[in-house]
Amino acid sequence: MKNLLILSLFIFTSCQAQNKQEFHLSISPAIDKMEIENKEIISIISDFLQHKNDTSWENPYWIKSDKEKFIEPYQDIIGIERSPRFGENYYQPSLMEIIKISDMQRLVKIAFIGVNEETNDRFVRAIYNIMAQKENNHWKLKRATDYLTQDWQILKEGTIKYIIPPHRKPNREEIEKQKDDIQKISNFFETPPIETITYYSCDTPKQILEIKGFDYLPNMYFGTTGGYADLGQIIYSGNQSEFYTHEIIHIYRHKLFPHLDPLLDEGIATYLGGSGKNDYAWHKAKFKEFLSQNPNIDIAEHLDPYERLYYQEETSIPYIMGALICEIIIKKHRKEKLLQIFQSKNDVWTELNKIGLTKQNLTKEIRKELKIK
């Protein structure tokens, strides 16, 4: 979909000369380093930041309930110190503030800053918030989301728990439409509805990043619509909407078919849920226009769902390709065969080749399906 929010922390490329450094946490002079509570928080923040990228590290500082809710609660800052061009620890953490919220809570602000030692120029990669919370007389860490949305409305509707900004009135028509679509998804996959999906109904993609803890990230300003499905059966919508079937399908897919290839993952989400504000039939018609205007295109060269190839800025070519493949399988071999392919751990093209669909004949088969000569 257009302006799909992609939470990649590796898109920002600086122009500095290489400057590989060892880990170092700088601390703002505004923070009283001798205050007893601050000393413990600084200590655990420093140890956490130094070891968080190590997958074998048993993190002793993170609150257990936060891990249970978000599964990987600090995934957004894993590897954030790395520069794709300039190596490890290029963006050094700087502890900006420890803000007292209550006797039991502090809001900790951390900046990640790259420094060009030749010019002394500084480049901010991100500013991120973490909550410190007292548990059993010791400070522990958690994601800032619950604190940042504490005044938001909570609305339980069917299998969805909506969390909506306080200034917005929930859209009842969209809520009922989403209930109907969840039943259709459940029927299609022949599974009971998933309990419970948490749905953060944000106004913009920028607001999504804000409630996840970011005060600043370069891609906060790249798009006006978008969202994604996250671990923990969570939907983040930046569309000011209580309806997002495409992303809900990803949650069902993740639970039912954990090995599904990304092409068919986006394909089935588009086939059943459309993309952006338009349904599959609309995108299919647009794709037919695209093929008519590009008679020599080899579709097999554009099957990467992460390729940002759009027709008229709305229709993702890889997404609609995945959806068409799903439709062809259903028409020729029934839904059961599609679900069988979804279950397979084999390479997707190993499975598709078995039913006569190859990268070599894909363009021909798609044009035949769309009745394009």
Side-chain angles (χ1 to χ4, degrees):
M1 61 185 279
K2 182 184 178 184
N3 293 329
L4 177 66
L5 175 70
I6 300 176
L7 278 181
S8 168
L9 296 178
F10 302 98
I11 63 169
F12 179 69
T13 305
S14 56
C15 301
Q16 308 95 303
Q18 185 162 353
N19 183 13
K20 187 174 181 180
Q21 304 179 53
E22 297 300 319
F23 171 86
H24 173 71
L25 174 66
S26 60
I27 301 171
S28 167
I31 297 173
D32 182 357
K33 293 185 285 188
M34 301 310 295
E35 198 268 331
I36 188 167
E37 306 285 16
N38 286 351
K39 286 177 71 173
E40 183 179 355
I41 291 170
I42 291 169
S43 176
I44 65 172
I45 284 287
S46 178
D47 205 25
F48 163 69
L49 292 173
Q50 189 166 3
H51 293 96
K52 65 178 174 59
N53 300 336
D54 183 354
T55 56
S56 64
W57 182 56
E58 295 292 334
N59 185 346
Y61 305 120
W62 214 268
I63 291 175
K64 182 180 178 182
S65 60
D66 209 52
K67 291 182 179 179
E68 292 170 349
K69 179 176 181 178
F70 296 107
I71 312 302
E72 296 180 6
Y74 51 91
Q75 63 176 327
D76 295 329
I77 56 170
I78 294 294
I80 198 169
E81 305 87 354
R82 301 184 189 123
S83 165
R85 294 172 59 188
F86 306 118
E88 303 291 330
N89 294 322
Y90 187 82
Y91 296 97
Q92 292 285 328
S94 176
L95 192 54
M96 301 170 63
E97 299 275 0
I98 299 177
I99 302 169
K100 183 176 181 179
I101 306 301
S102 69
D103 290 342
M104 304 296 288
Q105 284 190 316
R106 303 287 192 273
L107 183 67
V108 181
K109 288 185 178 290
I110 305 163
F112 295 88
I113 303 170
V115 180
N116 183 329
E117 291 189 341
E118 293 181 1
T119 64
N120 207 32
D121 288 337
R122 284 161 171 76
F123 302 86
V124 177
R125 181 167 195 174
I127 299 174
Y128 188 71
N129 295 289
I130 294 177
M131 292 301 296
Q133 182 168 302
K134 212 162 206 183
E135 189 177 81
N136 298 324
N137 209 35
H138 290 287
W139 289 100
K140 297 273 187 170
L141 305 176
K142 65 177 295 186
R143 186 185 278 193
T145 301
D146 290 342
Y147 169 72
L148 296 170
T149 59
Q150 62 182 329
D151 297 327
W152 288 31
Q153 308 167 70
I154 297 178
L155 184 64
K156 186 70 166 64
E157 292 286 344
T159 59
I160 295 185
K161 181 175 76 172
Y162 288 101
I163 303 177
I164 304 171
H167 64 271
R168 278 225 336 261
K169 183 178 180 180
N171 187 318
R172 297 302 317 180
E173 183 179 344
E174 289 183 339
I175 288 170
E176 294 304 317
K177 186 180 177 184
Q178 191 65 84
K179 285 182 185 178
D180 290 343
D181 268 17
I182 285 176
Q183 189 58 56
K184 292 175 184 176
I185 295 167
S186 178
N187 292 341
F188 183 88
F189 289 124
E190 301 173 4
T191 185
I194 290 175
E195 295 273 1
T196 297
I197 294 171
T198 301
Y199 187 121
Y200 289 94
S201 184
C202 299
D203 295 335
T204 63
K206 176 176 177 287
Q207 191 176 48
I208 293 176
L209 287 164
E210 288 171 343
I211 69 168
K212 295 197 81 180
F214 288 98
D215 284 345
Y216 172 75
L217 193 67
N219 55 342
M220 290 179 81
Y221 308 96
F222 283 7
T224 56
T225 62
Y228 63 101
D230 206 356
L231 299 174
Q233 297 177 184
I234 296 172
I235 296 292
Y236 293 98
S237 168
N239 301 325
Q240 202 170 4
S241 171
E242 281 71 74
F243 179 80
Y244 213 160
T245 296
H246 181 106
E247 297 302 333
I248 287 176
I249 290 167
H250 285 317
I251 288 180
Y252 276 77
R253 190 284 307 166
H254 184 268
K255 181 177 181 180
L256 298 170
F257 313 107
H259 305 290
L260 185 61
D261 182 88
L263 175 65
L264 295 188
D265 183 19
E266 294 297 347
I268 194 61
T270 302
Y271 178 69
L272 296 177
S275 183
K277 296 179 180 179
N278 299 295
D279 63 12
Y280 170 54
W282 187 91
H283 287 289
K284 186 177 175 181
K286 289 294 181 182
F287 184 61
K288 187 173 181 178
E289 291 179 16
F290 171 80
L291 285 183
S292 297
Q293 294 172 15
N294 297 273
N296 297 319
I297 191 170
D298 182 357
I299 291 171
E301 295 179 356
H302 302 285
L303 298 177
D304 180 356
Y306 305 112
E307 179 186 5
R308 298 189 61 79
L309 175 61
Y310 289 90
Y311 176 62
Q312 294 184 350
E313 300 184 349
E314 291 289 345
T315 299
S316 166
I317 302 307
Y319 280 29
I320 198 67
M321 279 303 310
L324 279 161
I325 290 171
C326 290
E327 183 177 18
I328 289 170
I329 295 170
I330 291 171
K331 283 184 175 180
K332 291 187 174 181
H333 306 280
R334 304 179 65 83
K335 181 184 72 175
E336 289 72 20
K337 184 61 180 178
L338 180 70
L339 298 183
Q340 180 184 336
I341 291 172
F342 283 4
Q343 289 283 11
S344 175
K345 295 181 181 180
N346 293 332
D347 174 77
V348 64
W349 286 102
T350 299
E351 293 300 316
L352 293 178
N353 289 354
K354 292 177 183 178
I355 58 173
L357 202 57
T358 69
K359 289 185 178 180
Q360 289 71 35
N361 70 10
L362 184 61
T363 299
K364 178 182 176 182
E365 292 297 320
I366 292 296
R367 295 179 75 90
K368 185 191 301 182
E369 171 64 25
L370 296 174
K371 298 180 173 58
I372 302 173
K373 295 182 178 179

